[in-house]
Amino acid sequence: MASVAAAIEAQGAVERRKRQSLLGLLNISFGFFGIQIGFALQNANMSRIFQSLGTSLDDLPALWVAAPLTGLLVQPVIGHLSDRTWLGRLGRRRPYFLAGALLAAIALLIMPESPVLLVAAVMLWVLDASLNVSMEPFRAFVGDMLDKDQHAAGYGVQTAFIGAGAVVGSIFPWMLERLGVSNVAAAGAIPDSVRYAFWFGGAALLASVIWTVMSTREYSPDELARFDGAADAGEEAHVLRVLAARSDAACLAWIAAGAAVVTLVALTGLEKEVYLLGGLLAAYGVASLVAVRRARGGQGAGMLGHIVGDFSGMPTLMKRLALVQFFSWSALFIMWINTTPVVTGRFFGAANAGSAGYQEGASWVDVLFATYNGVAAVSALVLIPLLARRIGQARTHIVGLVCGAAGFASIFFVPDHRWLLLSEVGIGVAWSTILAMPYAILASALPQRKLGVYMGLFNVFVVVPQLLVATVMGSITKHFFPGEPIWTMAFAAATMLVAAAAMTRVKGFAP
């Protein structure tokens, strides 16, 4: 398929997309501002909500499993479907923006009213699924709308909106408290500051996505064909050949790995959430086996076959970036789960979720999260473009990851909670490169007609480390340093450094 597009381009038949103005770049990504408000409210407050409803520190990772598991299931499917969607005036990606935003707004309305822990956990599942339905096509949308020479700028603007939305979502409960809204609640209840912030987030999310839907016009399938070349009529046959050539032994190996993990949990007494990891490994093996058998039987690839085939046939560049994503997002998920207990326990001396000190510390976490997101927004517009021009996109990402590792490590040494703001500067620089550089590199290298499914599959390597952290980190914390979650930040610093080392293998492939 890529060779066909290259041949057409060589003959001068491929047109170029219209170069977008700054306003055009802003309109394309403005919906991400609201989506990130939703993610920020979730990341900064879900541990607080779960603990307020009675869960223990050891059980937090299990409750957080819902979010990455939902992303793992939703993103490749939505990416595949959005590549093949065209709903008249609504277009290709925008139907998914709108549907996801509406469902997420409803979840944000219901979440803080959860009467019991089970309802809150279910609402987290619904919220994260809905946010992923909106978010995944936005990644591909930038590639759809921009030529390659604007990809870095497009993802930079998107990162700036992510940072700005996260600042608003993270700091809003703290701001409401300063305006006189109650930040304390009876046992088993959620403070008004959190409730009102979630309601505001739902409204802001829906409004910002509607802005992008109304202010942009997607290119039609005919226009995209003129930009990227005609679709390869042999693509389906190629996928079937790739699947049919796969060995059953490889599929069975995934199933065996899943069974081994389940057996290890049963024999060693690890946390029961680790069963999920084994189940996922086995499920991928089963899905691969079904796809292979269907291809050999001449039944067509279907959605399952295309996703399995594209996953197993990822380009080398994507595989190397996937390893970087795996380690960098492991560090981020450790931070999102554990920052609240670390800050409230170590710096405010309040492990009890019902105490005023705990609520004060949890509100300071909102400020910290707003800080790293604010730094990311500024970095994406100022620092990252400058570095990318001087040293290239790959080296820029390495610098960002090292800054993140330094930020996590510094948490061990700061004398009080106010100095944590300095730690968040390093984390914010890392966050800006994590959100921009891998996607800019990939969007310029992947087949444009399959950008949705490839972006969805790439995000598997955002989700899998989160599942590992949620299932394994709880066991590590419980067995080696119970009641001392500060040590999870050492893991975050180390994994961020490993990500930086892995990025050195990408330098030869990226600009």
Side-chain angles (χ1 to χ4, degrees):
M1 182 171 62
S3 61
V4 172
I8 295 174
E9 187 171 6
Q11 297 169 7
V14 174
E15 299 179 9
R16 292 178 65 85
R17 291 166 173 79
K18 173 186 174 183
R19 186 170 183 83
Q20 294 286 341
S21 65
L22 177 60
L23 179 60
L25 294 175
L26 295 174
N27 287 337
I28 287 169
S29 291
F30 187 69
F32 233 121
F33 174 71
I35 291 172
Q36 199 60 33
I37 289 176
F39 272 120
L41 287 167
Q42 170 186 298
N43 291 339
N45 293 285
M46 285 315 303
S47 289
R48 179 182 192 175
I49 290 174
F50 288 149
Q51 287 187 286
S52 295
L53 291 174
T55 193
S56 69
L57 177 62
D58 291 337
D59 291 333
L60 280 180
L63 291 167
W64 273 86
V65 163
L69 177 61
T70 305
L72 181 65
L73 299 175
V74 167
Q75 291 199 21
V77 173
I78 293 299
H80 175 87
L81 293 175
S82 70
D83 281 341
R84 290 159 173 77
T85 294
W86 186 258
L87 296 182
R89 295 180 64 181
L90 261 183
R92 186 186 192 192
R93 314 288 184 189
R94 291 180 299 168
Y96 297 95
F97 302 165
L98 199 55
L102 182 60
L103 292 172
I106 293 171
L108 285 166
L109 178 67
I110 297 174
M111 176 79 74
E113 296 298 306
S114 301
V116 294
L117 186 61
L118 177 61
V119 174
V122 170
M123 282 298 100
L124 174 61
W125 194 295
V126 173
L127 175 62
D128 204 85
S130 304
L131 291 172
N132 276 286
V133 168
S134 280
M135 181 192 73
E136 199 287 327
F138 257 107
R139 296 290 192 194
F141 190 50
V142 173
D144 291 344
M145 299 296 291
L146 303 177
D147 255 343
K148 292 181 179 180
D149 62 351
Q150 281 198 296
H151 281 166
Y155 285 106
V157 169
Q158 191 174 89
T159 298
F161 274 129
I162 290 172
V167 168
V168 174
S170 297
I171 206 168
F172 205 73
W174 181 84
M175 290 176 58
L176 289 175
E177 181 190 0
R178 295 302 180 272
L179 293 173
V181 177
S182 175
N183 190 46
V184 295
I190 309 301
D192 285 346
S193 59
V194 176
R195 292 169 58 235
Y196 296 162
F198 271 64
W199 297 346
F200 161 80
L205 190 161
L206 192 57
S208 65
V209 168
I210 289 174
W211 179 277
T212 287
V213 170
M214 298 296 292
S215 65
T216 57
R217 183 191 73 83
E218 292 192 69
Y219 292 115
S220 70
D222 289 340
E223 288 174 309
L224 290 172
R226 293 199 300 270
F227 298 145
D228 304 317
D232 187 350
E235 180 186 337
E236 178 79 10
H238 173 72
V239 171
L240 289 173
R241 287 195 301 271
V242 169
L243 288 172
R246 289 196 66 184
S247 167
D248 286 351
C251 305
L252 295 173
W254 284 101
I255 298 173
V261 170
V262 170
T263 302
L264 180 65
V265 176
L267 293 177
T268 61
L270 292 174
E271 297 297 309
K272 289 183 172 55
E273 303 87 60
V274 185
Y275 280 123
L276 178 62
L277 176 61
L280 287 171
L281 294 173
Y284 176 72
V286 171
S288 299
L289 193 60
V290 169
V292 167
R293 293 295 173 86
R294 283 176 56 87
R296 290 175 183 169
Q299 299 179 48
M303 181 171 67
L304 177 64
H306 276 284
I307 292 174
V308 170
D310 289 333
F311 185 78
S312 60
M314 287 187 298
T316 300
L317 170 64
M318 188 170 168
K319 291 178 181 177
R320 295 191 176 191
L321 277 172
L323 186 64
V324 178
Q325 291 288 87
F326 177 87
F327 287 108
S328 55
W329 282 86
S330 294
L332 292 170
F333 204 61
I334 289 171
M335 175 185 71
W336 290 330
I337 291 179
N338 294 288
T339 298
T340 294
V342 167
V343 172
T344 55
R346 183 179 180 89
F347 294 96
F348 286 82
N352 181 2
S355 67
Y358 177 91
Q359 298 299 338
E360 183 182 359
S363 291
W364 186 248
V365 172
D366 293 336
V367 176
L368 296 177
F369 280 22
T371 300
Y372 87 74
N373 281 292
V375 170
V378 175
S379 173
L381 292 177
V382 180
L383 177 62
I384 300 309
L386 177 62
L387 283 177
R389 286 194 298 269
R390 294 281 183 86
I391 63 175
Q393 294 174 351
R395 289 185 177 88
T396 297
H397 195 24
I398 293 171
V399 170
L401 293 170
V402 171
C403 288
F408 285 122
S410 68
I411 294 174
F412 283 85
F413 307 107
V414 297
D416 62 56
H417 67 279
R418 289 166 294 189
W419 281 93
L420 290 172
L421 293 171
L422 187 60
S423 303
E424 300 301 324
V425 172
I427 295 170
V429 173
W431 183 227
S432 69
T433 65
I434 288 168
L435 291 174
M437 291 299 98
Y439 297 100
I441 293 169
L442 276 181
S444 298
L446 296 175
Q448 297 298 300
R449 286 182 302 278
K450 303 183 75 173
L451 199 54
V453 68
Y454 270 126
M455 287 294 186
L457 290 171
F458 187 59
N459 280 327
V460 167
F461 299 96
V462 171
V463 171
V464 169
Q466 296 179 40
L467 285 171
L468 285 173
V469 170
T471 55
V472 176
M473 201 67 203
S475 296
I476 293 173
T477 303
K478 183 176 180 179
H479 286 87
F480 292 99
F481 28 85
E484 297 183 72
I486 182 66
W487 289 102
T488 60
M489 297 301 157
F491 280 85
T495 53
M496 198 70 89
L497 285 176
V498 173
M503 193 64 197
T504 62
R505 300 179 67 241
V506 180
K507 286 192 300 184
F509 289 78

